[in-house]
Amino acid sequence: MDSKVTQLRHQAETEIAAVTTQQQLEEFRIKFLSRKGLIASLFDALRSVKPSEKPALGRLLNELRAHTQGLYDHKAASLESVPKRRTPMDLTLPGRRSYLGSKHPLSQTLDEIKSIFVSMGFGIADGPEIEDDYHNFEALNFPPNHPARDTQDTFFLSDKNALLRTHTSPVQIRVMEKHPPPVRIIMPGRVYRNEAISSRSYCVFYQVEGLFVDRGVTFSDLKGTLVSFIKQFYGSGLKYKFRPTFFPFTEPSADIYITCFVCGGKGCKLCKQNGWLEILGCGMVDPNVFRYVGYDAEKYTGYAFGMGVDRIALLRYGIDDIRLFYENDVRFLNQF
Ligand code: PHE
């Protein structure tokens, strides 16, 4: 009997060492520790030994059972503490880099334009992108059916009177309706035109509008302010010229050109071989516009101007496709 106990003890020790799963552990328990297990059967055999040998053998069996139970408990604890993750953590992996965003090139350009005009005493105003015919056209002296409306490629909304503003000039009307003169503001914002989309033109773009109305404002004030802007923004060495043009809401009107900064005026693809780039439309506010907003056209005069921000940003960053501004591809935006 003694040798059987020793043999079972060794057997339990070898078998528990091979256990690696909960199922094997359970099989071990049934085989050794259950009521019909190997140890229990030794206890059964105890009945048939001599009474004088019983106490010593009983102690030996109790010890075996406690030892085997100990083996079982220890294994159970170690199986439970095995971590759940299948792949071990790799502490040698480099950390994740965090990325810092940057300002969109259009915002950077706009900010710079704004800061120049603010330093010259202009305030900033804005207005709705969904406009009505009155503010986008009529009050700006585009009579109904006037051919100048055709130049604006308007997106009309299903409500007959609603449209996406084609320029920032309606903000002039909204500001003058609310505030008596004098006004000196710029109005940056997004405008929409139903044009064929290409690398040079998109259905949405940014403009900055300007308006100065007071007693005695003249064309030379316009010239002084805009030339000062051009010199600060583009550099003082550039040549510029004013060329007469037509806008319904200004009279007289002019387009401002600067020497092409790619070719220096020699002629290249960008300036279409003529050496000049058009950067701005401007003029003296037409007295008819003052009548629409209730300003006294006998007492007040003013000038207005408008420029496209996208074109300026394209030129200054050397970007060849305007659509990149609106696709928000991080590979593009990362570069600014
Ligand atoms: N609104 C004109 C345009 O979109 C630009 C402009 C603004 C011209 C103000 C003169 C004065 O083309």
Side-chain angles (χ1 to χ4, degrees):
M1 194 74 170
D2 275 20
S3 66
K4 266 199 193 158
V5 172
T6 322
Q7 193 202 331
L8 203 56
R9 189 189 169 99
H10 285 314
Q11 193 186 341
E13 280 168 357
T14 15
E15 287 193 21
I16 198 76
V19 166
T20 54
T21 66
Q22 291 290 348
Q23 199 195 331
Q24 289 168 349
L25 183 68
E26 180 60 6
E27 284 162 8
F28 175 89
R29 189 191 64 78
I30 293 166
K31 182 168 176 183
F32 290 93
L33 292 164
S34 72
R35 279 216 248 144
K36 297 209 166 131
L38 294 173
I39 294 174
S41 69
L42 285 187
F43 272 101
D44 288 345
L46 192 59
R47 271 186 237 126
S48 51
V49 302
K50 280 187 231 144
S52 61
E53 287 176 4
K54 264 188 195 169
L57 203 57
R59 217 181 310 120
L60 215 61
L61 283 180
N62 276 332
E63 234 177 69
L64 171 68
R65 186 165 60 186
H67 179 66
T68 314
Q69 185 67 47
L71 294 176
Y72 173 88
D73 290 345
H74 188 72
K75 182 59 93 175
S78 77
L79 280 185
E80 229 146 69
S81 71
V82 168
K84 296 258 158 51
R85 57 161 63 236
R86 287 214 203 98
T87 46
M89 187 137 58
D90 181 356
L91 297 175
T92 66
L93 279 176
R96 289 205 184 109
R97 225 178 101 193
S98 57
Y99 290 95
L100 263 188
S102 61
K103 260 197 186 159
H104 194 284
L106 285 177
S107 302
Q108 290 182 25
T109 310
L110 252 174
D111 284 352
E112 208 171 308
I113 296 171
K114 280 193 234 171
S115 83
I116 292 174
F117 282 106
V118 166
S119 77
M120 294 196 281
F122 284 76
I124 296 177
D126 64 8
E129 291 179 18
I130 296 178
E131 266 299 0
D132 48 36
D133 183 275
Y134 179 79
H135 289 89
N136 196 79
F137 291 122
E138 197 180 329
L140 286 163
N141 201 31
F142 286 83
N145 306 319
H146 191 281
R149 287 178 177 232
D150 287 349
T151 63
Q152 300 272 323
D153 302 310
T154 313
F155 281 116
F156 293 97
L157 303 180
S158 48
D159 169 359
K160 269 277 142 353
N161 192 32
L163 48 87
L164 295 178
R165 69 178 180 195
T166 57
H167 49 179
T168 40
S169 303
V171 190
Q172 290 185 29
I173 303 298
R174 291 190 178 273
V175 170
M176 288 190 283
E177 281 173 343
K178 281 215 195 84
H179 301 279
V183 254
R184 178 151 51 170
I185 44 162
I186 56 164
M187 297 147 274
R190 213 163 18 189
V191 303
Y192 301 83
R193 290 200 195 168
N194 190 5
E195 284 175 33
I197 291 171
S198 72
S199 61
R200 290 268 129 200
S201 69
Y202 198 56
C203 49
V204 48
F205 54 98
Y206 283 81
Q207 283 189 337
V208 175
E209 186 88 8
L211 177 70
F212 179 34
V213 184
D214 204 347
R215 285 172 199 262
V217 178
T218 65
F219 199 90
S220 63
D221 293 317
L222 175 159
K223 227 179 138 179
T225 306
L226 292 180
V227 168
S228 164
F229 165 74
I230 291 167
K231 288 189 169 166
Q232 288 182 63
F233 191 80
Y234 291 98
S236 49
L238 279 171
K239 278 203 275 177
Y240 56 85
K241 67 178 179 188
F242 285 65
R243 208 174 88 166
T245 186
F246 172 80
F247 299 109
F249 38 93
T250 48
E251 184 60 35
S253 307
D255 279 330
I256 305 181
Y257 291 78
I258 55 173
T259 39
C260 176
F261 36 71
V262 171
C263 62
K266 283 194 213 89
C268 68
K269 208 175 118 203
L270 180 69
C271 58
K272 299 198 180 109
Q273 309 305 333
N274 70 26
W276 294 95
L277 296 170
E278 191 228 302
I279 52 154
L280 239 155
C282 59
M284 299 306 290
V285 180
D286 193 301
N288 275 344
V289 173
F290 284 154
R291 260 167 234 129
Y292 276 106
V293 297
Y295 277 18
D296 185 344
E298 296 299 320
K299 275 198 202 150
Y300 296 101
T301 52
Y303 64 76
F305 57 89
M307 64 185 106
V309 180
D310 300 61
R311 219 172 108 78
I312 294 172
L314 281 183
L315 298 174
R316 78 190 322 229
Y317 293 109
I319 298 162
D320 57 9
D321 194 328
I322 194 173
R323 291 169 287 198
L324 289 165
F325 287 144
Y326 298 94
E327 285 165 357
N328 286 331
D329 185 332
V330 264
R331 290 168 302 179
F332 169 73
L333 295 175
N334 260 343
Q335 302 171 43
F336 302 94

